[in-house]
Amino acid sequence: MRALIFVNGTIDDYPQLARWLRPDDYTIAADGGARHCAALGLRPAVLVGDLDSITPELLADYEKARWDATYGWDASPVSTARLSMEVYNAVRNEDWSLASPTAPYSYWPQRLWTMEKPYHFLGDGGGMGIGYCASASLGAALANRKHGRFTVSIQPDGDLLMTIGALWTAAHHKIPLLYVMHNNRGYHQEVMHVQRIANRRMRGLDRVADVLPVAFSYLADQRAICPSNLYAVPGIRT
Ligand SMILES: Cc1ncc(C[n+]2csc(CCOP(=O)(O)OP(=O)(O)O)c2C)c(N)n1
Ligand SMILES: [Mg+2]
C-alpha cells in the first residue's frame, strides 16, 4: 500500500494524477491539501493540520458524515449507515478486513470507519459487475486465512444470487468469512435506474420486477451447500 499525502500546493493536471491513483492508496490530507482530494473525488482517511487553510465548506462536509449517518437511525428496515456502523462495532476489535465494495451502501465505511492497514479495505470492484462482491470477498478471505484475519463482507442480495457458488467454495475449503446480508430484496440500483428512465419517458413502472424473496439463510445452510464437509460447531446442530 502507498500513503499519499496531499499538501496545499498546486496541481495542474488532475486527470493525469487520477490515472495514477489506486483504490488501496492510503490518503492523508494536510489541511488545505484536502481541496485536491475533493477535486479527485477522494475522501482522505486522515485529515491533519491546524485546519487554518482548509475551506470551512470542506471541513463542514467532512464533519457532516457523522451527522448524516444518524438520519433514520432507528428506522425499519434498518438504514445502510446503521448497518455499516453496527458491523464496524462488531469487528473493530478484531484484526478485521472489509472485503466488499461499499458503493451499494453509500460508501459509509470510507466515510466513517478508521482504516489504517492495507487489508482493512479491498476497494470497490473496478467494473461494477454484480457477482463481484461474493466471489472477491471469498478470494480476500482465502488470502486473509493464513494471517488469522477476520474477513467481513456486507453482501448485497442480487450480487450473491449471481455467484451463489461462493458459499459452496467457502464451506468446502473451510475459508472463514462472515457475509452480512444487505438484503433489500431487489436489484435496487437497477430499479432506481429504470425508474429514472421511466419518469423521463413518462411511462409506468409495470415492467419493473423489484422483489427477490429469497431465503438466504437456507441457501447458506451447510447441509444444503456442502453436505460432504459437515463439521460440528459446539452448540449448533448439523
Ligand atoms: C454482471 C452485471 N449485470 C448487470 C448489471 C447491472 N446492475 C447494476 S446494479 C444491479 C443490481 C444490483 O443488485 P444488488 O446486488 O442486490 O444491489 P442493490 O442495488 O440492491 O443494493 C444490476 C443488475 C451489472 N452491474 N453487472
Ligand atoms: Mg439488492
Side-chain angles (χ1 to χ4, degrees):
M1 182 180 67
R2 306 177 305 184
L4 306 184
I5 304 174
F6 285 89
V7 294
N8 199 7
T10 308
I11 295 178
D12 296 324
D13 192 343
Y14 284 111
Q16 191 183 359
L17 182 58
R19 282 196 289 278
W20 181 78
L21 300 172
R22 296 186 202 142
D24 64 338
D25 286 335
Y26 188 74
T27 311
I28 301 168
D31 211 330
R35 69 193 166 88
H36 300 309
C37 297
L40 289 160
L42 299 173
R43 192 165 271 267
V46 175
L47 172 67
V48 294
D50 59 4
L51 308 183
D52 65 345
S53 59
I54 185 171
T55 63
E57 293 77 25
L58 198 49
L59 191 58
D61 184 50
Y62 289 163
E63 286 169 348
K64 200 169 148 287
R66 282 174 193 278
W67 175 251
D68 286 349
T70 64
Y71 182 77
W73 187 258
D74 293 319
S76 176
V78 69
S79 72
T80 52
R82 181 161 186 184
L83 171 71
S84 303
M85 292 316 288
E86 297 288 358
V87 170
Y88 184 48
N89 278 335
V91 303
R92 63 193 301 173
N93 295 323
E94 309 289 333
D95 190 22
W96 58 271
S97 176
L98 176 67
S100 49
T102 52
Y105 44 104
S106 306
Y107 305 101
W108 284 114
Q110 283 103 311
R111 293 157 76 184
L112 292 173
W113 298 22
T114 302
M115 297 180 176
E116 296 172 321
K117 307 251 168 70
Y119 54 84
H120 273 167
F121 181 43
L122 191 64
D124 278 298
M128 291 294 187
I130 60 169
Y132 168 86
C133 177
S135 41
S137 301
L138 185 63
L142 175 62
N144 282 333
R145 183 172 63 178
K146 62 178 174 296
H147 301 288
R149 288 179 198 141
F150 190 97
T151 308
V152 62
S153 174
I154 300 179
Q155 173 63 54
D157 52 336
D159 181 285
L160 183 58
L161 289 178
M162 296 277 164
T163 43
I164 192 79
L167 299 181
W168 184 90
T169 309
H172 183 70
H173 294 287
K174 298 195 169 140
I175 302 170
L177 166 59
L178 177 65
Y179 285 117
V180 179
M181 285 309 297
H182 167 26
N183 186 1
N184 55 16
R185 299 188 186 169
Y187 293 115
H188 265 296
Q189 196 187 119
E190 186 83 4
V191 170
M192 289 187 290
H193 179 65
V194 174
Q195 275 175 339
R196 204 162 39 233
I197 299 298
N199 288 349
R200 196 182 299 163
R201 299 192 178 153
M202 290 191 283
R203 66 169 187 237
L205 289 170
D206 48 308
R207 275 171 280 174
V208 177
D210 64 345
V211 178
L212 307 173
V214 177
F216 286 96
S217 53
Y218 285 97
L219 291 179
D221 187 325
Q222 205 181 34
R223 284 166 295 189
I225 59 172
C226 197
S228 62
N229 201 5
L230 286 180
Y231 55 94
V233 178
I236 296 185
R237 276 175 38 210
T238 52

